Amino acid sequence: MDAPPENPAEPEIERSCFLTHDDWFQLNGKKHRPGLYWHGIKNPGEESQADIDDWIGAPIHARAMTHDEQGSNHGMLLEFADPQGRWKVWAAPMALLAGGDELLKELLKNGYRYDLRKKALFLQWMMGRYPKEHITAATCTGWSREEDAFVLPTHTIGNQAIRFQSEHAAADTYKTAGTLEGWRDSLAGLCVGNPVLILAVSTAFAGPLLLRAKRQHAGGGGIHLVGGSGTGKTGAAQMAASVWGGPDYVMTWRATGNGLEATAAARNDTLLPLDEIGESNAFEIGETVYALANGLGKQRAARTGGARLSARWRIVTLSTGEHTLATHMKKAGAGIKAGQEARLLDLQVDNRAFGTYDNLHDYPNGAAFNSAIKERSGRDYGHAGPAFIEALLNDTEDRAAQYNLLTTANTFSARDGVEARAASTFTLIALAGEIATEYGLTGWPEGVALEAAADMFQSWKDNRGQGQTETRQVLEAVTAFIETHGDSRFTEIHPTSPEPVKASGQGRAGYWEDTTEGRVFLFTAAALEEAARGFDKRRIIETLDAEGWLVEKDTGKRSKLRRAGGKSTRLYAVLPRDAEQ
């Protein structure tokens, strides 16, 4: 664009008009650089009449008019060149023409150059464009309403009459490098013999199946890979991210809830990899997990004062961290709820043969294998996800029926509601991995994705333990309190010595007495609430009673009136029992 040819073409121009020239041209013997021009006439009909050939900006075209399926959100599909001569496409909302500053700001951010003195002419050019082609404007990425197209920021897979439209001509996070064959042979090949890696990559293919197989119109779920530093969990996330984009496709938990909402909406129907949960806000993480899995952002006010439509998405999350979600939430003094536990599944992965890995594929150690994953995932990426979508668009198999059948298999049997939701997530991941293998994208043997998902589901169940989440947490908290304070904050209710041991400076928690069934701890109400902090007293008492841990009660009550310390007081008689009892 900087070097004019010796003899550029001389176009025929009917003045006055706007014209875009994609290459150098000449008029009246003068060379003109490429760009959008106003070709007018100065002082028409007078002796001083002269041609005007004003350069407004770099080459730009209005390719189509856009609007959503309700006939709203009108826009213009613009194609323009940046200073390096690269052509870019943006479906720009017409609303940005009001004032024009936001429109021009977005163009400038993406390399478009224009004459600052010709701003009014540029806006006049755009307002006067009426392209014959009309396309549907999608305001979010992912599946179209008719499921005949999959929309990405810069292009659409399937029905080309649908394009992504946004107020921001954002950089495309779905980048590509290398080849699909290179990814399959050099990167996906490392998954063989490594169930955690197979699960991670299968998770990357699961997003598009939330609607295609699970028929879920909002929300999703996620897997949280838990392991020590340097054990390979981040390598698993990088490998999964390579299905859709480059190394920067992996995001961090170090963001506000609002920021993660925007990211989830931008990754709709694909994968959201989030590294290191320990960097997230422990006070917000519980609500964030609900939001990501439920697929609905916060209600916010529009600039005009009315209610703005909340962001929506369908997303599968792949998280990593050195601690479980429950452990991280405890930093804020909160206990994990069953709904949170079911939506982001803690999966301990650093207990394999080599940290996260089982097969190092002839690499000398886990560190070398991890480096290979990092190097290869930065060389070939971004091809497998779109190829998966293209195959799905031409797929006549009833994937929803396959998913439903798989959920009934004994492999994914569940004992309660939390396990049932977890089973549905692992089932979807298993199906995604098997379909990707069927399409020839992974190079894995048939059945390995299903086997890995079943293995990981069983591991999740084993680590979770039995019983409902809140019940288990209450019992574990009370047990831990007794183990910590049983000798220091409880005293014998009927001391045999004249000088009983005094409670510690933290205050008395209650008393104890030995019975034929074992030592019973007589809690005060305040101590019981302290022991299971985060749960209200009624829930604690109901749980202990339902599990048979309250062994002495007055009629119609769950406490027992006992005489201790020279006075009568109501105490809760707790006898901890083993899980199998």
Side-chain angles (χ1 to χ4, degrees):
M1 296 179 70
D2 294 329
E6 290 187 9
N7 295 301
E10 185 167 354
E12 293 184 6
I13 296 174
E14 293 184 8
R15 301 173 186 272
S16 297
C17 67
F18 291 102
L19 277 180
T20 295
H21 304 272
D22 293 340
D23 205 346
W24 287 83
F25 66 99
Q26 63 179 338
L27 291 173
N28 303 321
K30 182 180 179 182
K31 295 179 181 179
H32 297 271
R33 58 176 166 160
L36 170 64
Y37 280 80
W38 166 252
H39 297 295
I41 302 174
K42 181 180 180 181
N43 301 325
E46 300 180 8
E47 292 185 8
S48 59
Q49 175 177 315
D51 291 342
I52 299 174
D53 300 301
D54 281 345
W55 184 86
I56 300 172
I60 187 168
H61 298 273
R63 297 300 190 190
M65 297 178 68
T66 67
H67 55 79
D68 64 21
E69 293 169 320
Q70 287 75 41
S72 186
N73 288 315
H74 283 258
M76 193 82 68
L77 185 66
L78 301 177
E79 185 177 12
F80 56 93
D82 68 11
Q84 286 73 43
R86 295 172 299 198
W87 287 93
K88 298 182 178 180
V89 178
W90 175 34
M94 293 299 288
L96 297 184
L97 282 175
D101 289 341
E102 291 299 319
L103 174 76
L104 291 168
K105 183 187 298 183
E106 287 302 317
L107 288 171
L108 287 170
K109 283 169 59 178
N110 282 271
Y112 186 76
R113 297 294 181 89
Y114 73 99
D115 188 333
L116 294 174
R117 298 167 296 180
K118 303 296 192 301
K119 172 183 173 181
L121 275 176
F122 180 86
L123 299 179
Q124 183 181 341
W125 166 81
M126 187 167 174
M127 187 62 77
R129 300 307 95 195
Y130 291 92
K132 292 182 180 180
E133 184 179 0
H134 288 249
I135 63 176
T136 301
T139 55
C140 66
T141 56
W143 289 111
S144 64
R145 176 174 293 185
E146 300 300 324
E147 298 180 42
D148 60 346
F150 195 92
V151 181
L152 294 173
T154 59
H155 66 285
T156 298
I157 304 171
N159 185 354
Q160 294 300 302
I162 302 174
R163 293 298 296 256
F164 180 64
Q165 179 170 298
S166 170
E167 293 183 358
H168 305 285
D172 187 8
T173 56
Y174 297 91
K175 300 175 183 176
T176 60
T179 64
L180 173 59
E181 293 73 20
W183 178 85
R184 180 188 61 214
D185 298 338
S186 70
L187 191 58
L190 296 180
C191 295
V192 177
N194 287 297
V196 175
L197 294 184
I198 290 173
L199 182 84
V201 173
S202 298
T203 300
F205 290 113
L209 292 183
L210 284 169
L211 187 60
R212 272 300 173 101
K214 200 173 181 181
R215 310 311 303 172
Q216 189 163 324
H217 289 269
I223 302 290
H224 176 53
L225 306 180
V226 184
S229 177
T231 55
K233 60 187 184 300
T234 299
Q238 290 174 328
M239 185 174 279
S242 68
V243 169
W244 294 101
D248 59 352
Y249 192 86
V250 178
M251 306 296 289
T252 175
W253 274 105
R254 189 173 56 192
T256 63
N258 293 346
L260 285 178
E261 282 185 16
T263 301
R267 305 288 179 86
N268 184 47
D269 284 327
T270 60
L271 172 72
L272 178 59
L274 293 171
D275 195 26
E276 195 45 66
I277 199 170
E279 295 184 353
S280 67
N281 187 323
F283 292 91
E284 293 183 356
I285 186 66
E287 291 184 4
T288 302
V289 167
Y290 272 129
L292 290 178
N294 293 342
L296 182 63
K298 295 178 181 178
Q299 182 71 62
R300 296 179 175 85
R303 296 175 184 175
T304 57
R308 190 169 61 184
L309 290 176
S310 298
R312 291 179 178 272
W313 56 81
R314 291 175 296 266
I315 201 77
V316 176
T317 303
L318 183 64
S319 167
T320 73
E322 295 183 21
H323 303 291
T324 65
L325 174 61
T327 300
H328 187 55
M329 291 181 66
K330 284 181 180 179
K331 295 179 182 178
I336 189 171
K337 297 179 180 178
Q340 294 157 341
E341 181 189 37
R343 285 164 172 79
L344 188 64
L345 307 171
D346 291 323
L347 191 61
Q348 198 75 36
V349 296
D350 61 351
N351 52 1
R352 316 297 297 190
F354 306 97
T356 297
Y357 312 123
D358 292 277
N359 186 339
L360 298 182
H361 289 262
D362 297 327
Y363 283 91
N365 50 54
F369 187 66
N370 207 43
S371 295
I373 291 176
K374 183 176 181 180
E375 186 271 329
R376 296 184 188 189
S377 61
R379 186 179 64 203
D380 295 286
Y381 56 78
H383 298 283
F388 186 75
I389 298 300
E390 290 179 4
L392 269 180
L393 284 167
N394 297 308
D395 194 337
T396 58
E397 293 286 338
D398 190 344
R399 300 302 184 181
Q402 289 181 349
Y403 167 77
N404 291 331
L405 181 62
L406 196 55
T407 59
T408 63
N410 291 333
T411 306
F412 298 104
S413 62
R415 297 168 294 192
D416 56 38
V418 172
E419 287 192 3
R421 177 152 186 157
S424 72
T425 299
F426 281 104
T427 302
L428 186 73
I429 292 170
L431 181 62
E434 290 299 326
I435 292 175
T437 299
E438 178 185 329
Y439 291 160
L441 300 178
T442 66
W444 304 338
E446 181 182 351
V448 298
L450 176 59
E451 183 180 349
D455 179 18
M456 296 296 104
F457 177 54
Q458 187 60 50
S459 175
W460 174 82
K461 286 203 296 185
D462 292 343
N463 286 330
R464 175 183 180 241
Q466 297 192 21
Q468 294 185 359
T469 303
E470 286 84 357
T471 297
R472 192 173 66 251
Q473 288 179 336
V474 168
L475 300 182
E476 289 174 352
V478 171
T479 300
F481 187 86
I482 291 172
E483 290 175 351
T484 303
H485 304 292
D487 294 331
S488 60
R489 298 181 62 187
F490 292 84
T491 56
E492 189 177 5
I493 192 167
H494 298 303
T496 56
S497 60
E499 295 183 2
V501 178
K502 296 181 179 180
S504 72
Q506 292 177 279
R508 185 191 299 278
Y511 304 87
W512 61 263
E513 66 177 345
D514 288 328
T515 69
T516 55
E517 291 187 83
R519 177 162 293 186
V520 175
F521 290 87
L522 303 164
F523 277 79
T524 64
L528 210 53
E529 289 184 276
E530 180 186 349
R533 198 184 305 275
F535 294 92
D536 61 64
K537 186 176 71 172
R538 180 179 178 181
R539 177 58 194 269
I540 299 168
I541 295 170
E542 287 178 348
T543 298
L544 294 175
D545 193 24
E547 295 299 312
W549 284 34
L550 291 183
V551 293
E552 293 183 34
K553 297 175 287 186
D554 286 334
T555 303
K557 295 184 178 296
R558 291 191 169 98
S559 61
K560 180 75 174 178
L561 189 63
R562 298 292 299 269
R563 187 159 187 83
K567 62 179 181 180
S568 295
T569 184
R570 287 210 163 270
L571 300 170
Y572 295 89
V574 176
L575 176 61
R577 301 183 185 277
D578 294 334
E580 62 267 19
Q581 293 179 311

